[in-house]
Amino acid sequence: MAENFDLPASAPAVVAHGKGDLRIEDVALAVPADDQAVVEIAYGGICGSDLHYWLHGAAGESILKDPMVLGHEVVGTVVRAAADGTGPCVGTPVAVHPATPAPGAARYPLDRPNLSPGCTYLGSAARHPHTDGAFLRYANLPARMLRELPEGLSLRGAALVEPASVAWHAVARAGDVRGKTALVVGCGPIGALAVAVLKRAGAAHITAVDMHAKPLEIAQAVGADVLLQAGDTEAIAAVEADVVIESSGNHFGLASAINGAVRGGRVVMVGLLPSGAQPVAISLAIVRELELVGSFRFNNEIDDVIAALADGSLFIDPVITHEYALSDALEAFATAGDSAVSGKVLLNFGL
Ligand SMILES: NC(=O)c1ccc[n+]([C@@H]2O[C@H](COP(=O)([O-])OP(=O)(O)OC[C@H]3O[C@@H](n4cnc5c(N)ncnc54)[C@H](O)[C@@H]3O)[C@@H](O)[C@H]2O)c1
Ligand SMILES: [Zn+2]
């Protein structure tokens, strides 16, 4: 590919304009800053937060005030390297770490930049002006966000690197899982990826819980040993898991997670519960001396995920259930919003 690749003046993007108003439209391409490379986006995974901006005009406390390009789960190829000479050169296939930590005055462990209070994320309305995402054919991205894909790992094979890093971080928050009994509550993409990461990390026995057949089928395909229905409280309690990953994101799931943990066990909460008070019978966590641990995004785990995908030790292919052309993004979003029929839905920007 030539160094002087001529960028078009505009490119198609997926833009959330407000509640229920998602558009596929051409946006003008800005001149990249010196530290930005231009990446030709190949695939973008649709995430729960993208769905929230579309359906509610907000994701939790992040309220859409202006139109915003969605998307943070993207992979692509560098078509123009950063002018300051940092980062990968033209032609390099890359995954993207969507976070920009913002060290400030607030206290947090400095080795955990995911906790820096001013951290921005691609495709997030947490701040104003919003941080545009990368569901855009040609995205200007800071070179430091780009992770070169090793030989043997295709762009499609790397399309789930971002959510897999969320799952990897969550499993890491559970500690050493080798030989342990694990329970995963909620087997959407994040839960299914957690099953795959637990399997790779050596968990001895993995039980997966969901209310739909499709996510359970995916969980089984990536390593779950036993599948349970969400309403089967007795069977969930009988699991007595050393390690529980809560990835449903609602209080019923958190209740199941607590219920299914063994005395002295650890529950990792990666599912994002709505803000505000949540009705969960928490007393069991006290008398069982459970450890309830939060998990938020990830740091350099992305490099471990890329290496594990490249060497074949992390198997996640079944998590991708659908792929749509960018022009069919509206249909893709509708499919992604239905947990009963889909795992991860990809947009293919090259079609
Ligand atoms: N902490 C983080 O950094 C982070 C990052 C990404 C996503 N998330 C959150 O993780 C959660 C999962 O993400 P996802 O993309 O897989 O979402 P998803 O909505 O696709 O999956 C949730 C799954 O949970 C199931 N479920 C719902 N209620 C249940 C219950 N009571 N018991 C068992 N299963 C139940 C649903 O059927 C669905 O399959 C969401 O809350 C999302 O916001 C957190
Ligand atoms: Zn995501």
Side-chain angles (χ1 to χ4, degrees):
M1 217 170 292
E3 275 290 338
N4 57 355
F5 174 78
D6 273 337
L7 283 166
S10 65
V14 180
V15 185
H17 281 256
K19 184 176 168 168
D21 186 2
L22 188 71
R23 303 184 201 169
I24 299 126
E25 61 189 12
D26 268 13
V27 298
L29 298 182
V31 176
D34 275 1
D35 67 339
Q36 287 181 324
V38 183
V39 178
E40 183 181 71
I41 301 298
Y43 296 100
I46 299 171
C47 180
S49 59
D50 301 316
L51 292 171
H52 276 96
Y53 287 120
W54 164 49
L55 292 170
H56 312 296
E61 312 281 275
S62 306
I63 297 161
L64 209 54
K65 298 196 178 89
D66 298 314
M68 179 178 78
V69 178
L70 295 178
H72 56 271
E73 301 180 4
V74 292
V75 292
T77 305
V78 175
V79 291
R80 185 178 289 180
D84 68 4
T86 60
C89 58
V90 169
T92 308
V94 292
V96 177
H97 192 318
T100 301
R107 264 166 41 78
Y108 66 94
L110 292 178
D111 59 342
R112 292 157 72 181
N114 59 319
L115 301 182
S116 79
C119 189
T120 58
Y121 220 69
L122 293 177
S124 163
R127 317 215 161 267
H128 194 261
H130 302 330
T131 310
D132 272 324
F135 282 173
L136 170 67
R137 182 62 169 154
Y138 296 104
N140 295 346
L141 295 169
R144 60 168 176 76
M145 283 188 179
L146 307 181
R147 301 291 189 277
E148 179 170 354
L149 300 183
E151 222 162 286
L153 180 57
S154 67
L155 286 166
R156 195 168 190 288
L160 299 192
V161 158
E162 196 274 351
S165 301
V166 170
W168 190 290
H169 182 71
V171 171
R173 297 279 292 144
D176 185 356
V177 302
R178 267 175 303 179
K180 298 217 171 132
T181 300
L183 173 68
V184 177
V185 180
C187 296
I190 296 292
L193 290 165
V195 169
V197 174
L198 282 163
K199 186 80 182 168
R200 182 190 176 278
H205 191 271
I206 304 171
T207 301
V209 184
D210 206 290
M211 56 238 284
H212 298 300
K214 185 72 184 173
L216 288 174
E217 186 189 300
I218 296 169
Q220 186 170 39
V222 293
D225 301 291
V226 172
L227 310 177
L228 294 178
Q229 279 298 318
D232 196 347
T233 34
E234 255 178 58
I236 293 170
V239 174
E240 300 200 317
D242 303 305
V243 165
V244 184
I245 307 289
E246 195 320 285
S247 39
S248 77
N250 65 61
H251 65 80
F252 300 106
L254 181 55
S256 290
I258 291 171
N259 190 30
V262 74
R263 288 168 172 71
R266 181 175 283 203
V267 177
V268 178
M269 300 176 288
V270 64
L272 289 170
L273 267 69
S275 55
Q278 295 294 312
V280 180
I282 204 91
S283 56
L284 260 191
I286 300 162
V287 296
R288 287 185 180 174
E289 290 198 355
L290 301 184
E291 297 173 48
L292 301 184
V293 176
S295 183
F296 190 56
R297 297 176 179 162
F298 56 91
N299 295 308
N300 289 331
E301 292 88 341
I302 187 169
D303 300 321
D304 300 323
V305 168
I306 290 171
L309 289 172
D311 70 21
S313 60
L314 180 62
F315 173 64
I316 58 174
D317 293 352
V319 180
I320 299 174
T321 56
H322 296 77
E323 185 177 322
Y324 289 90
L326 177 57
S327 53
D328 295 328
L330 285 173
E331 195 186 337
F333 270 63
T335 304
D338 188 349
S339 305
V341 301
S342 65
K344 183 58 79 179
V345 176
L346 293 185
L347 294 175
N348 183 332
F349 285 75
L351 289 180

